[in-house]
Amino acid sequence: RLVSREGDLWRWDGFSAAAEAPSAAARRLAEKNRLGEVEAAAAAARKSAEARRGEAEAAQAAARAAATEESAALDAGRAARRALDEARERLAQAERREAEAASRRSALEEAAGRLAASETESRERAEAAARELAELAPPPELETGLSAVRARVAERRALASEARAALQTLLREAEMAQRRRAAIAADVERWSERRARAAAAAAELAARLDGLRGEHKTLAEAPDAFVHRRRGLAAQIEEAEKKRGAAADRLAEGETAQAEGDRRARAALEALSAAREARAGSQARAEAAAARVAEIARTIADDLDTTPGGLMDLAGLKPGAAPDPAASEAKLAALKADRERLGAVNLRAEEELAEIEGKRDALVAERDDLVEAIKRLRQAIASLNREGRERLLAAFDVVNGHFQRLFTTLFGGGTAELTLVDSDDPLEAGLEILARPPGKKPQTMTLLSGGEQALTATALIFAVFLTNPSPICVLDEVDAPLDDANVERYCDLLDDMVRRTETRFVVITHNPITMARMDRLFGVTMAERGVSQLVSVDLQQAERFLEAV
């Protein structure tokens, strides 16, 4: 509720009250007039809504046709993009083959040059050898010298082989000797360690032996000492027993005397308590009697306006005469009966009646206000439910249209729709998805495969998102359960939504196909252990750089 300083009231359900309002009847009349105006405005709004609904349906049909044309244009664009990619790939392959052919041609040219140079050199060497051969001695002498040279070469080869074998033998022996020396050195070190450990153990054993010898000597002398100590302890125990017996006797005598004194003390305390109780009872009875006498005196003074001494005169008794109790009791009973018949007199009855009537009128007014408030609340609830149904149905139609289009785009065909089930009231109905992928019968979402369920759920989420787009959208591993073909369709759908809306999509993924279709990549790398670094790559700028190169 909102209340002004002057006393004006505005309530959430439309009720308002002015500070200078004349009466509740005038307010109710104004509310009725306002209700009539609101109902007239509501009827006009319904007619306008029906007209706008027809226009909206026509616009939706046009939007569906445009979406179909746009899908066909997108398919043609994707086909052209694929053809362009294939042409670029063939061009790159041709450039690679041309580069390989150029490198092979240059290698062949270098080999031809080297062959020409070696051919010239061989020709020059052959001519020099021919000249030297012409200048050499006759053939028989050359053969004799050649045989001698060959014999000397063979002898030297044999000597070299023997020397090589002896060298290898010496090397093997030296290596074996080195190994033996290393093994001996290791054995010496181990034995030295064992000797040191044995010496330490011997020293420890000698120390323990000396200690054991001293302990043995001490234990050998211990029995005589134990005998003397035992005798002394026995004498001390006997003397202590005697002292304990005497102390026990004295303790028994003391306990007997204490018990007798306790008994006498208890008897004295009981007698004292009885005397105190008797005195307290007497005092209480005396005080009660005095209070009773005083109370009777006050009662006589209040009721009869006299003193206890004047009761004899008031009762008509003579001094010294005994009163008749039965007559007094009968007279008292008659007087009480007369007083009961008269009854009590209520002097505030008229004021109490006026107060009760005022409370009754206030309660009646509050009841009327409460009934009126309940009526207005029910009308407001009905209006809200009606408006909620209309908005829900309108939003459902929009989401269903987006879902059908997105399902066809993601699956490359097929149909799907959203239906309300389990109730005629949209506010209480459930939601069911009927999907028919290409080449299959219509079935519920639970009967689809894992990938089909993922694509269908993606289509439904994006359909709801298109109904009310936001500036930014984060998609976390949405393409994880999809294969490569469905990932391509998913990326095409993202491109379409980027063109249709002003939403910036942040995609978290590990799929290389999705990463290749993004505008910019962000990642974390660890060039050094424990040092993370954020890196980003603008793929569009990289493509421009590649095309420029």
Side-chain angles (χ1 to χ4, degrees), residues 379-390:
Q379 292 176 357
I381 293 173
S383 177
L384 290 175
N385 289 336
R386 182 170 59 254
E387 185 177 358
R389 292 187 186 93
E390 293 175 358

Side-chain angles (χ1 to χ4, degrees), residues 71-377:
S71 300
L74 290 174
D75 294 336
R78 286 193 291 271
R81 191 182 298 109
R82 286 194 293 270
L84 179 60
D85 294 339
E86 292 175 358
R88 287 180 178 174
E89 186 176 0
R90 289 196 297 272
L91 178 59
Q93 292 176 358
E95 290 177 352
R96 287 195 296 271
R97 289 196 294 271
E98 183 179 359
E100 292 175 358
S103 62
R104 290 178 181 175
R105 189 163 50 250
S106 61
L108 290 174
E109 290 175 356
E110 292 178 1
R114 287 195 299 271
L115 289 175
S118 63
E119 184 179 0
T120 304
E121 185 179 357
S122 299
R123 190 178 297 109
E124 292 176 356
R125 288 181 179 178
E127 291 175 356
R131 286 193 301 271
E132 290 177 358
L133 184 61
E135 295 175 358
L136 289 175
E141 297 177 358
L142 291 175
E143 289 179 0
T144 303
L146 181 60
S147 298
V149 171
R150 285 178 177 174
R152 287 195 300 272
V153 170
E155 184 179 358
R156 289 178 180 177
R157 284 180 178 175
L159 292 174
S161 299
E162 291 177 359
R164 190 179 296 109
L167 179 60
Q168 292 178 356
T169 302
L170 291 174
L171 290 175
R172 284 196 299 273
E173 290 178 356
E175 185 177 358
M176 292 177 63
Q178 183 69 24
R179 291 178 181 173
R180 289 183 63 189
R181 282 197 298 271
I184 291 170
D187 292 340
V188 169
E189 185 177 359
R190 287 197 298 273
W191 283 107
S192 298
E193 293 177 357
R194 292 182 64 184
R195 182 180 62 186
R197 289 195 297 271
E204 184 180 358
L205 290 174
R208 291 179 62 187
L209 181 60
D210 293 338
L212 291 174
R213 285 175 181 173
E215 186 177 357
H216 181 268
K217 185 178 179 180
T218 303
L219 292 175
E221 297 175 356
D224 296 336
F226 287 160
V227 170
H228 291 299
R229 290 183 61 188
R230 184 178 62 182
R231 290 175 182 174
L233 292 174
Q236 293 177 4
I237 290 171
E238 185 176 358
E239 185 178 358
E241 286 291 338
K242 291 178 180 180
K243 292 180 179 180
R244 185 185 65 80
D249 294 339
R250 289 194 298 272
L251 178 62
E253 294 176 358
E255 289 178 352
T256 303
Q258 183 181 4
E260 182 65 21
D262 291 341
R263 184 179 62 77
R264 293 176 181 176
R266 283 195 297 272
L269 289 175
E270 289 176 357
L272 180 61
S273 298
R276 286 178 178 175
E277 291 177 359
R279 186 183 66 178
S282 299
Q283 290 178 354
R285 285 193 295 274
E287 292 176 357
R292 180 62 178 165
V293 170
E295 183 180 359
I296 292 172
R298 286 196 301 271
T299 304
I300 292 172
D302 293 338
D303 294 344
L304 302 178
D305 195 16
T306 185
T307 61
L311 288 177
M312 298 294 289
D313 299 333
L314 185 63
L317 297 175
K318 297 180 180 180
D324 187 3
S328 299
E329 290 292 337
K331 187 176 181 181
L332 178 62
L335 293 175
K336 287 182 178 180
D338 294 338
R339 186 187 67 183
E340 291 296 333
R341 282 195 297 271
L342 290 175
V345 178
N346 188 3
L347 302 178
R348 299 185 68 255
E350 186 176 359
E351 297 177 359
E352 292 177 357
L353 177 61
E355 292 177 359
I356 292 173
E357 289 179 351
K359 291 180 180 180
R360 184 198 62 186
D361 296 338
L363 291 175
V364 171
E366 289 179 359
R367 184 196 62 185
D368 296 338
D369 292 340
L370 184 60
V371 171
E372 187 67 22
I374 292 172
K375 185 185 300 183
R376 287 196 298 270
L377 180 61

Side-chain angles (χ1 to χ4, degrees), residues 49-65 393-394 397-398 401:
E50 293 294 335
R52 295 293 184 273
R53 186 177 292 109
E55 296 176 358
E57 291 177 355
Q60 287 179 359
R64 293 193 190 95
L393 291 176
D397 294 337
V398 175

Side-chain angles (χ1 to χ4, degrees), residues 341-523:
R341 282 195 297 271
L342 290 175
V345 178
N346 188 3
L347 302 178
R348 299 185 68 255
E350 186 176 359
E351 297 177 359
E352 292 177 357
L353 177 61
E355 292 177 359
I356 292 173
E357 289 179 351
K359 291 180 180 180
R360 184 198 62 186
D361 296 338
L363 291 175
V364 171
E366 289 179 359
R367 184 196 62 185
D368 296 338
D369 292 340
L370 184 60
V371 171
E372 187 67 22
I374 292 172
K375 185 185 300 183
R376 287 196 298 270
L377 180 61
R378 289 176 177 174
Q379 292 176 357
I381 293 173
S383 177
L384 290 175
N385 289 336
R386 182 170 59 254
E387 185 177 358
R389 292 187 186 93
E390 293 175 358
R391 292 189 178 183
L392 178 60
L393 291 176
F396 177 77
D397 294 337
V398 175
V399 172
N400 192 14
H402 290 311
F403 175 68
Q404 293 175 0
R405 181 178 62 82
L406 294 177
F407 183 88
T408 304
T409 302
L410 285 175
F411 281 87
T415 59
E417 63 176 348
L418 302 175
T419 58
L420 298 174
V421 296
D422 297 337
S423 178
D424 295 335
D425 189 357
L427 298 177
E428 299 179 357
L431 182 65
E432 185 173 344
I433 300 175
L434 295 178
R436 186 183 67 80
K440 293 187 178 181
K441 296 180 180 180
Q443 51 191 349
T444 58
M445 187 175 177
T446 55
L447 300 178
L448 300 177
S449 62
E452 291 173 344
Q453 289 183 0
L455 282 180
T456 305
T458 303
L460 180 57
I461 292 173
F462 282 144
V464 177
F465 181 78
L466 284 176
T467 304
N468 188 13
S470 63
I472 190 169
C473 178
V474 180
L475 303 175
D476 188 2
E477 296 290 350
V478 176
D479 55 354
L482 306 179
D483 54 6
D484 293 345
N486 290 330
V487 170
E488 288 286 351
R489 295 193 183 99
Y490 166 70
C491 294
D492 294 339
L493 177 60
L494 285 181
D495 294 338
D496 182 20
M497 293 184 67
V498 168
R499 287 191 297 270
R500 292 172 60 88
T501 63
E502 296 181 357
T503 302
R504 301 293 296 274
F505 288 93
V506 178
V507 181
I508 302 173
T509 181
H510 293 89
N511 195 300
I513 299 177
T514 306
M515 289 189 286
R517 296 287 296 274
M518 296 295 105
D519 297 334
R520 182 182 291 273
L521 296 179
F522 294 92

